[in-house]
Structure formats: structure tokens, C-alpha cells
Amino acid sequence: MMGRVVAAIGLKGWVKLKSFTADADGLDQFAEWAVRTREGWRFMALEEFAVRPNGTAAKLAGCEDRDGAERLKGADIAVPRAALGETEEGSVFQVDLVGLEVVDEGGERLGTVESFFETGETSVMVVSGMKERLIPFVAEFVRAVDRESRRITVDWKADYDA
């Protein structure tokens, strides 16, 4: 997920966004967005984009008035994985981690990465196994990411789940 529509702006179909990218204008570099509405995912071309003092805003093709913008409220925004390109050395895209096995430092399997969500400055990894675990994706807990072996090693103790 790269963002979410949070509100309609004005009368001409503009929407206010909450961007999950590192830079407020991170979504501007993608000409087409995948937008998850109540009816499912659909692709929408980006017509205009603006970073304003009161937030980030966008105008999407097919969203021509306030009613259309209101219907997008709460919609998740993503881009096709191919549009992201390759990561820099030492970086990963969260989408590339979904499905990887998660183990503790002793090698015990904790589950599989199902998804991520944001809590302010921190991404949280949702790990499903015998039980669901929410593990902050920060250096304090994530010790190694081995995409080749499809494994993430974490410093996670059973009593953290209590």
C-alpha cells in the first residue's frame, strides 16, 4: 500500500491523500494507480498531483466531481510492482516480503508475512502462523532479511505476544 484517499476536496473530483511513501510527492512519479474501492481494484490514471500546505492532493481520471471523489474516500492506493523498479542496496519493498517465512534467532518458525500496516513512523509486519503476530519492522526486532532464502530472522520472544 502506498497511500489512502482520506477526503474529497472541492467540486472538481480532487481527493486528499495520506501517502505512505518516504516523500510526500512519492506517488507523483507513477502515471497510473491501482485503487481499491468497495467494488474491488481498478486502475486509474493520475491527471494532476499537488503537495499543498494542508496535505497531498490528486486528480484521477474518471473522478470528475465531488460525488466521485466522495466514493473514493477510504480507498487504498497501490502501484503495480513492475513500476517500482529495483531497490537500492540495503533497501526492500514491503511487497517483496509478503509470503516470506519468519523465524526467531533460534530458527523456530513463527509464521509467514501476510501484510504490513503503518503506525505513524513505524511499519508493522503481520505474521500469520499458529497465532497472528504483529512485529514492528525496525532494526531492534528485524535482524536479517534474506530474500534469496525467502526468510526473515527476528529477535522476538514468546512473551512479546502476551
Side-chain angles (χ1 to χ4, degrees), residues 88-126:
E88 297 175 12
E89 183 68 31
S91 296
V92 294
F93 290 125
Q94 291 175 351
V95 68
D96 293 335
L97 304 180
V98 173
L100 269 59
E101 176 183 46
V102 178
V103 298
D104 67 15
E105 290 181 301
E108 183 178 338
R109 185 178 191 284
L110 300 177
T112 302
V113 178
E114 291 296 319
S115 62
F116 286 85
F117 66 88
E118 304 300 317
T119 59
E121 297 284 322
T122 305
S123 294
V124 176
M125 194 169 40
V126 178

Side-chain angles (χ1 to χ4, degrees), residues 125-142:
M125 194 169 40
V126 178
V127 179
S128 295
M130 295 281 289
K131 65 187 297 180
E132 181 177 84
R133 292 181 166 88
L134 306 177
I135 303 174
F137 198 77
V138 295
E140 179 181 349
F141 298 112
V142 178

Side-chain angles (χ1 to χ4, degrees), residues 4-161:
R4 180 167 293 126
V5 175
V6 295
I9 301 174
L11 300 173
K12 297 184 179 182
W14 281 76
V15 293
K16 183 176 183 179
L17 305 170
K18 167 132 179 83
S19 176
F20 302 142
T21 61
D23 299 314
D25 62 350
L27 287 167
D28 188 29
Q29 63 185 307
F30 303 101
E32 187 175 56
W33 296 353
V35 179
R36 181 170 47 191
T37 65
R38 291 177 198 98
E39 295 79 34
W41 287 99
R42 67 180 182 169
F43 286 95
M44 300 179 79
L46 178 63
E47 291 182 347
E48 296 183 65
F49 188 89
V51 178
R52 301 174 176 163
N54 62 346
T56 305
K59 172 70 175 74
L60 299 168
C63 185
E64 304 305 325
D65 56 25
R66 185 167 185 88
D67 289 340
E70 286 287 348
R71 283 192 293 276
L72 292 177
K73 186 176 178 181
D76 292 324
I77 298 167
V79 297
R81 172 61 184 92
L84 297 175
E86 292 302 315
T87 60
E88 297 175 12
E89 183 68 31
S91 296
V92 294
F93 290 125
Q94 291 175 351
V95 68
D96 293 335
L97 304 180
V98 173
L100 269 59
E101 176 183 46
V102 178
V103 298
D104 67 15
E105 290 181 301
E108 183 178 338
R109 185 178 191 284
L110 300 177
T112 302
V113 178
E114 291 296 319
S115 62
F116 286 85
F117 66 88
E118 304 300 317
T119 59
E121 297 284 322
T122 305
S123 294
V124 176
M125 194 169 40
V126 178
V127 179
S128 295
M130 295 281 289
K131 65 187 297 180
E132 181 177 84
R133 292 181 166 88
L134 306 177
I135 303 174
F137 198 77
V138 295
E140 179 181 349
F141 298 112
V142 178
R143 297 298 189 215
V145 175
D146 185 343
R147 288 181 20 196
E148 189 172 305
S149 297
R150 301 194 44 77
R151 177 177 285 174
I152 299 173
T153 303
V154 296
D155 178 5
W156 195 256
K157 310 288 185 251
D159 60 342
Y160 294 172
D161 297 325

